[in-house]
Amino acid sequence: MPLTPTERDRLLLFTAAELARARHARGLRLNVPEATALIADTVCEAARDGLRLADALERGRCVLGPDDVLPGVVDIVTEIQVEAVFEDGTRLAAISDPFGERERDDLAPGAVLPAADTVDAPEPALTVAVRNTASVPVSVTSHFHFFEANPRLDFDRAAAYGMRLCVPAGSSVRFDPHGGAEVGLVPIGGERIAIGFAGLADGPLDGPGAKEEALRRAAACGYLGVAVDGGDGTDGDPR
């Protein structure tokens, strides 16, 4: 059965969570990977059940308490992030206080104190007009490769290749059914490797022929906003 990288990652998370559930059922206290997998899987399944983001996060926080994990785990795992598929699209779920709210000594040895926010938000490198042709809302998270966003979103895919939303990390932009909006994009940073997402670009974004192959895959899969070759060496109408 062929699976996309995203589907393989989801199965890996589920397998790790099942192992954690079995050990937890035997009365064992969980370590960092086990606790992280169990909570993240719970949120993903809550999204699959049709719960909204806030309710899915709350379900994740109720799975384990401080007494269910090994000493030190609560101090190490202060937030868990996982991309879950909700009814309105894929969204980044950030589970803060994953073991329930507790009192913390911010001056304890090794405590991390947040600095004042003095970094200006980046200016968009590109602004694109987006129209949601679907009958359901679509949300796109901050660091999703925007080129590979929902196929029913109609925008200039070629221009958005290698870009992400110019919004704070962990946030998202919602496109209402049959609605339109303009969004700012910035280039994906780091080593610019896109793995997973929708499987249109699966590797280095700037590799030889990578953009052309991604556009070909998008056209073959019926993504809107992709120019179709007219067969005579010129571009036909965009889909």
Side-chain angles (χ1 to χ4, degrees):
M1 179 176 63
L3 299 173
T4 66
T6 300
E7 290 168 336
R8 290 197 297 268
D9 289 343
R10 180 68 189 94
L11 286 176
L12 179 62
L13 175 62
F14 172 77
T15 302
E18 283 295 284
L19 177 61
R21 288 188 183 95
R23 290 177 174 174
H24 184 247
R26 299 203 309 266
L28 298 178
R29 303 179 74 178
L30 304 183
N31 57 25
V32 169
E34 293 165 346
T36 301
L38 180 52
I39 294 172
D41 179 74
T42 299
V43 172
C44 289
E45 288 303 298
R48 184 67 177 85
D49 290 341
L51 270 65
R52 300 180 65 85
L53 177 59
D55 297 327
L57 295 177
E58 187 59 32
R59 180 179 290 187
R61 293 190 188 98
C62 296
V63 177
L64 299 173
D67 294 335
D68 297 315
V69 294
L70 292 171
V73 172
V74 174
D75 297 310
I76 296 172
V77 184
T78 57
E79 183 178 81
I80 297 173
Q81 295 186 1
V82 63
E83 284 199 341
V85 182
F86 292 85
E87 290 184 344
D88 59 350
T90 301
R91 304 181 67 179
L92 180 65
I95 309 107
S96 58
D97 293 315
F99 306 102
E101 293 186 4
R102 67 187 183 92
E103 294 184 0
R104 289 187 175 86
D105 182 2
D106 289 337
L107 300 180
V112 177
L113 303 179
D117 187 8
T118 58
V119 180
D120 294 331
E123 290 293 326
L126 172 70
T127 299
V128 296
V130 182
R131 183 170 62 93
N132 180 12
T133 66
S135 58
V136 296
V138 174
S139 294
V140 182
T141 52
S142 59
H143 282 64
F144 194 91
H145 185 202
F146 200 74
F147 170 84
E148 303 183 62
N150 192 293
R152 296 298 93 194
L153 294 180
D154 191 3
F155 60 92
D156 188 348
R157 299 268 173 182
Y161 181 82
M163 312 284 278
R164 67 171 182 85
L165 286 168
C166 184
V167 295
S171 63
S172 63
V173 174
R174 174 189 169 106
F175 301 95
D176 292 327
H178 305 296
E182 287 192 348
V183 295
L185 304 178
V186 293
I188 292 175
E191 297 182 355
R192 289 180 57 77
I193 296 176
I195 297 177
F197 300 112
L200 301 181
D202 195 18
L205 291 169
D206 302 319
K211 181 176 181 179
E212 291 75 12
E213 175 61 18
L215 286 167
R216 185 196 66 78
R217 292 178 181 177
C221 294
Y223 278 70
L224 297 178
V226 182
V228 181
D229 194 314
D232 56 358
T234 61
D235 288 339
D237 294 334
R239 289 185 178 178

